[in-house]
Amino acid sequence: MSYQGGVAQLKQVEALILDRTAYRFLGDNFDGPKVDRDQMLWLHEAIKGSDLEDEVAHQVISATLYVILAHDTHDLIDEPKDHLQKTSQERQLTVLAGDFYSSLYYRTLSEFEMIDLLAALQRGVQETNEAKVNLYQLHITGDEDYLAHLVMSKAAIFAKFATYFGCDEAFVHAATHTILLTYLLRERGNFQVSGESLFKTAYEHGYMALNAQADFKAWLEDLIVTVKGEIKANMVGLVISEMAEKRLHELLGQVEEK
């Protein structure tokens, strides 16, 4: 498929999501998680080798994005580090938004009788929750375990999706670490603006301390470089579209290796 063709297909998937009347209402009234276009890109890469018709594949991708939106939205209700006190109305809208996304995901996969995929994604949600709890409570055995939990906390749902559609281990490893890298780059940008980061607790407890003298900014950069290394180590023989390859190189280019 050409680069232009891939872009057109992703736009069709995004249109399926944005066309929902309730989604448009939430977009105007709810300041919560938005559709992650990088996750959408990798979901498209994972499903493109299946025998599903394009229209069905697009619906399945949109349903999976709703799973991710539902989880991220419900996560806002009990965010342990949330310094912004939500009003009762904001909390109610957050709950309703999460429930709305969940209902769309269940309905779509049920209509296509994809019960096995639904179950796989639910296991991804469970693994995501467990990883986040372990990270928050620092139930981590070391650096390798910390990185594995970070990946699960951001990409366990995607990993279950990709495995369900027969993607090999190298693809799943590269894609999940790329999804994590996208998050870390956003976190770096947020830290540069606010000086705050959810990763400070891990830094203070000495995880991923590649340089014992590093301040938090250098520590976060070292973590980003480590994730980049994991991606590059699995790129040999990686079969992805021109569009995904371009995006991957854009992300890797934002990381300066030492």
Side-chain angles (χ1 to χ4, degrees), residues 39-50 52 56-65 67-68 105 109 114 116-125 127 155-168 171-172 176 179:
Q39 291 247 27
M40 181 169 64
L41 171 61
W42 287 104
L43 290 168
H44 186 268
E45 291 295 305
I47 204 174
K48 69 181 183 181
S50 73
L52 295 177
V56 175
H58 296 167
Q59 293 275 6
V60 171
I61 293 171
S62 68
T64 306
L65 287 167
V67 180
I68 296 167
Y105 135 66
L109 295 185
M114 291 184 165
D116 290 343
L117 176 57
L118 196 155
L121 296 179
Q122 283 300 109
R123 289 193 295 273
V125 171
E127 289 184 8
I157 296 171
F158 167 82
K160 294 301 182 185
F161 180 94
T163 301
Y164 176 87
F165 284 104
C167 297
D168 62 37
F171 173 87
V172 175
T176 53
I179 291 168

Side-chain angles (χ1 to χ4, degrees), residues 9-158:
Q9 288 207 347
L10 288 183
K11 286 186 178 296
Q12 290 175 18
V13 174
E14 189 172 16
L16 283 172
I17 299 172
L18 300 179
D19 192 47
R20 305 278 188 173
T21 301
Y23 185 93
R24 293 199 299 272
F25 170 79
L26 289 171
D28 294 335
N29 298 275
F30 172 61
D31 185 22
K34 308 301 180 185
V35 174
D36 187 330
R37 293 184 177 180
D38 281 291
Q39 291 247 27
M40 181 169 64
L41 171 61
W42 287 104
L43 290 168
H44 186 268
E45 291 295 305
I47 204 174
K48 69 181 183 181
S50 73
D51 57 1
L52 295 177
E53 295 181 1
D54 286 348
E55 183 178 350
V56 175
H58 296 167
Q59 293 275 6
V60 171
I61 293 171
S62 68
T64 306
L65 287 167
Y66 280 130
V67 180
I68 296 167
L69 277 170
H71 179 271
D72 290 349
T73 301
H74 281 140
D75 217 32
L76 292 176
I77 303 169
D78 300 310
E79 176 57 61
K81 295 289 186 178
D82 186 8
H83 299 292
L84 299 176
Q85 296 296 317
K86 292 182 176 62
T87 66
S88 176
Q89 183 177 4
E90 288 172 334
R91 290 178 63 86
Q92 290 175 9
L93 189 56
T94 301
V95 172
L96 289 173
D99 290 347
F100 165 67
Y101 297 139
S102 293
S103 68
L104 289 178
Y105 135 66
Y106 277 111
R107 187 178 73 180
T108 301
L109 295 185
S110 297
E111 286 176 353
F112 292 123
E113 299 183 348
M114 291 184 165
I115 307 304
D116 290 343
L117 176 57
L118 196 155
L121 296 179
Q122 283 300 109
R123 289 193 295 273
V125 171
Q126 181 179 354
E127 289 184 8
T128 301
N129 289 333
E130 291 172 352
K132 287 186 174 182
V133 169
N134 286 335
L135 286 169
Y136 176 63
Q137 298 180 348
L138 295 178
H139 292 167
I140 307 294
T141 59
D143 289 354
E144 185 175 345
D145 192 38
Y146 178 75
L147 185 57
H149 275 77
L150 275 183
V151 172
M152 282 193 294
S153 73
K154 297 302 172 188
I157 296 171
F158 167 82

Side-chain angles (χ1 to χ4, degrees), residues 199-235:
F199 286 94
K200 281 189 174 180
T201 302
Y203 163 72
E204 291 166 356
H205 281 74
Y207 289 113
M208 304 299 293
L210 304 181
N211 179 357
Q213 304 303 316
D215 59 12
F216 176 75
K217 180 180 179 181
W219 177 90
L220 181 58
E221 198 64 33
D222 285 340
L223 175 59
I224 292 172
V225 170
T226 298
V227 174
K228 177 179 179 177
E230 288 288 327
I231 297 169
K232 292 180 68 176
N234 284 270
M235 285 179 63

